[in-house]
């Protein structure tokens, strides 16, 4: 790069999408161009674009009007991993290859001084490995699961919480009319944040999260007691990561070449079946699924995502690498990627929200309820 050439950075969105990704992209691009006089290149479909050499120049116009849009204008992939990229061997059999050197080469060909990687724990783990190879990387934590270590909250969570709460509110009225047990399965992977907070917000009678071992006798007794006391319906909010009696998580699908191949799903049906068989109370299941991930970001997420994006641009300008931006209290701070990689943030058993739930009579499916 000649002395007169502008510094150039790249931005990508990896992993499952969530509301607020576009707001981060917009924050990165506008602050980079407007404040720091940097050039920005968008990488398509997460790490896949770096492997397959698919990039687009970013400008002010490209990011105008995207603040309120869900999804990501750059596209994403939750299976592309430069350290485990599917290829065919000579016999045509699929195998995996480490193509990270190719990625490093491309980053240097593109003259990128920094790479901003917006994503979840899988994206952060890969970002850490790439930064160990000398690529100057800034991570931005996204996910509806809120399970990234090092930040108080991820953007995307608040929007998903709103969607899940709204859905449970709607289920409430039909549950009351038909005197049914309504089981609502929410996402969240191995963390119970989304179930706990949407359950609390929507007044779920039973909230089941992966962090609290499930005792179905307690749940069944609880819904029967409600029914005999004249509260003839119950709302059971269950996180997809809850283990069925016997200790196994219910797996919906295995996505072989993904950084985390397991796709959870189905525990809601399992629990509803058990409740109906044991209590004879009519039960129904709603799996909220990807509805929680789509749609427009909440005001909170738009602001948080914009703050993260602007901070990432500032760090690129300063030549910082190997860190993730994070929210601590009201401040945007940085956390070393080496601290974040390989960890996840689940609900602590003594979390104040768990105590609050108990105080308002919520059944958490554990023995303490007795
Ligand atoms: O991590 C976000 C998330 O939506 C999880 O809550 C869920 O388990 C998973 O992604 C679903 O992944 P996919 O989009 O591959 O089905």
């Amino acid at each position: 790069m000649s002395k007169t050439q502008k510094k150039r950075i790249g931005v990508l969105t990896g992993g499952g999408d969530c509301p607020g990704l576009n707001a981060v992209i917009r924050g990165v691009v506008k602050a980079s161009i407007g404040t720091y006089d940097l050039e920005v290149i968008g990488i398509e479909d997460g790490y896949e674009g770096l492997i397959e050499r698919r990039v687009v120049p970013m400008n002010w116009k490209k990011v105008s009007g995207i603040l309120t849009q869900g999804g990501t204008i750059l596209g994403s992939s939750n299976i592309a991993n430069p350290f485990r990229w599917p290829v065919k061997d000579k016999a045509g059999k699929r195998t995996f290859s480490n193509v990270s050197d190719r990625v490093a080469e491309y980053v240097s060909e593109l003259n990128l001084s920094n790479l901003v990687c917006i994503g979840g724990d899988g994206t952060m783990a890969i970002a850490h490995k790439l930064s160990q190879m000398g690529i100057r990387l800034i991570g931005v934590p996204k996910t509806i699961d809120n399970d990234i270590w090092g930040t108080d909250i991820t953007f995307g969570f608040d929007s998903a919480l709103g969607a899940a709460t709204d859905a449970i509110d709607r289920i409430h009225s039909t549950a009351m009319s038909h005197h049914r047990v309504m089981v609502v399965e929410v996402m969240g992977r191995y963390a119970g944040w989304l179930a706990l907070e949407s359950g609390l917000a929507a007044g779920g009678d039973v909230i089941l999260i992966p962090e609290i071992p499930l005792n179905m006798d307690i749940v069944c007794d609880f819904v029967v007691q409600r029914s005999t006391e004249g509260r003839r319906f119950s709302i059971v909010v269950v996180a997809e990561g809850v283990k069925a009696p016997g200790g196994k998580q219910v797996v919906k699908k295995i996505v072989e070449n993904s950084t985390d191949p397991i796709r959870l799903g189905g525990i809601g049906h399992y629990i509803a079946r058990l409740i109906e068989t044991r209590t004879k109370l009519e039960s129904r299941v709603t799996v909220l699924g990807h509805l929680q991930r789509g749609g427009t970001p909440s005001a909170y997420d738009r602001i948080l995502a914009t703050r993260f994006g602007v901070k990432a641009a500032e760090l690129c300008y300063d030549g910082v690498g190997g860190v993730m931006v994070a929210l601590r209290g009201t401040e945007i701070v940085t956390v070393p990627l080496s601290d974040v990689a390989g960890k996840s943030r689940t609900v602590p058993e003594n979390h104040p929200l768990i105590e609050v739930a108990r105080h308002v009579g919520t059944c958490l499916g554990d023995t303490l309820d007795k």
Side-chain angles (χ1 to χ4, degrees), residues 78 143-145 187-189 240 263 290 293:
N78 61 1
T143 168
I144 65 162
D145 306 333
M187 281 184 165
R189 276 203 321 170
E240 62 179 359
R263 294 295 178 274
H290 292 82
R293 251 172 48 186

Side-chain angles (χ1 to χ4, degrees), residues 192-220:
W193 296 107
L194 200 49
L196 177 61
E197 296 202 24
S198 61
L200 260 178
D205 306 298
V206 180
I207 302 175
L208 306 175
I209 62 172
E211 293 85 347
I212 298 181
L214 171 61
N215 182 335
M216 275 311 288
D217 294 339
I218 302 281
V219 175
C220 291

Side-chain angles (χ1 to χ4, degrees), residues 17-41:
D17 74 338
C18 76
L21 285 166
N22 283 327
V24 182
I25 297 171
R26 173 180 172 271
V28 170
V29 172
K30 288 198 166 180
S32 295
I33 296 173
T35 311
Y36 300 112
D37 201 25
L38 307 172
E39 238 181 64
V40 189
I41 297 286

Side-chain angles (χ1 to χ4, degrees), residues 114-147:
N114 272 83
L115 197 54
V116 177
C117 297
I118 311 164
D121 56 355
T123 305
M124 293 310 137
I126 295 169
H128 173 52
K129 281 168 113 180
L130 289 174
S131 72
Q132 284 179 317
M133 293 171 66
I135 301 176
R136 217 180 276 145
L137 256 144
I138 306 292
V140 181
K142 68 91 230 196
T143 168
I144 65 162
D145 306 333
N146 202 22
D147 60 353

Side-chain angles (χ1 to χ4, degrees), residues 60-301:
W60 198 273
K61 199 166 160 220
K62 252 196 189 123
V63 296
S64 290
I66 67 168
L67 173 65
T68 59
Q69 286 172 17
T72 159
I73 59 164
L74 290 174
S76 190
S77 162
N78 61 1
I79 50 177
N81 179 354
F83 297 91
R84 200 169 178 271
W85 181 242
V87 286
K88 287 213 169 118
D89 67 13
K90 280 182 191 148
K93 219 179 121 211
R94 205 183 60 167
T95 165
F96 294 96
S97 163
N98 181 346
V99 295
S100 57
D101 283 344
R102 235 162 75 186
V103 163
E105 240 171 67
Y106 189 44
V107 168
S108 123
E109 261 175 56
L110 287 170
N111 242 328
L112 300 182
S113 66
N114 272 83
L115 197 54
V116 177
C117 297
I118 311 164
D121 56 355
T123 305
M124 293 310 137
I126 295 169
H128 173 52
K129 281 168 113 180
L130 289 174
S131 72
Q132 284 179 317
M133 293 171 66
I135 301 176
R136 217 180 276 145
L137 256 144
I138 306 292
V140 181
K142 68 91 230 196
T143 168
I144 65 162
D145 306 333
N146 202 22
D147 60 353
I148 300 192
W149 192 91
T151 184
D152 290 353
I153 189 163
T154 55
F155 75 85
F157 175 69
D158 185 68
S159 308
L161 175 58
T165 303
D166 179 57
I168 302 167
D169 284 349
R170 286 164 192 269
I171 283 164
H172 231 119
S173 55
T174 172
M176 285 170 85
S177 311
H178 288 274
H179 320 299
R180 284 170 171 160
V181 176
M182 298 297 268
V183 177
V184 188
E185 181 181 309
V186 305
M187 281 184 165
R189 276 203 321 170
Y190 308 106
W193 296 107
L194 200 49
L196 177 61
E197 296 202 24
S198 61
L200 260 178
D205 306 298
V206 180
I207 302 175
L208 306 175
I209 62 172
E211 293 85 347
I212 298 181
L214 171 61
N215 182 335
M216 275 311 288
D217 294 339
I218 302 281
V219 175
C220 291
D221 287 355
F222 185 84
V223 294
V224 167
Q225 195 182 338
R226 275 179 60 82
S227 175
T228 48
E229 284 171 359
R231 290 170 293 158
R232 294 172 58 204
F233 73 95
S234 287
I235 304 286
V236 180
V237 180
V238 55
E240 62 179 359
V242 164
K243 292 189 179 102
K248 277 208 171 146
Q249 262 149 344
V250 183
V251 174
K252 182 175 62 185
K253 198 176 175 168
I254 303 283
V255 184
E256 252 189 62
N257 44 345
S258 175
T259 38
D260 178 3
I262 292 170
R263 294 295 178 274
L264 298 168
I267 183 72
H269 287 278
Y270 188 93
I271 283 173
R273 236 181 355 254
L274 272 181
I275 292 176
E276 196 170 74
T277 316
R278 289 200 198 171
T279 67
K280 309 293 174 234
L281 294 168
E282 192 180 20
S283 306
R284 292 285 188 275
V285 188
T286 306
V287 179
L288 299 185
H290 292 82
L291 273 178
Q292 296 155 101
R293 251 172 48 186
T296 186
S298 65
Y300 180 89
D301 276 339

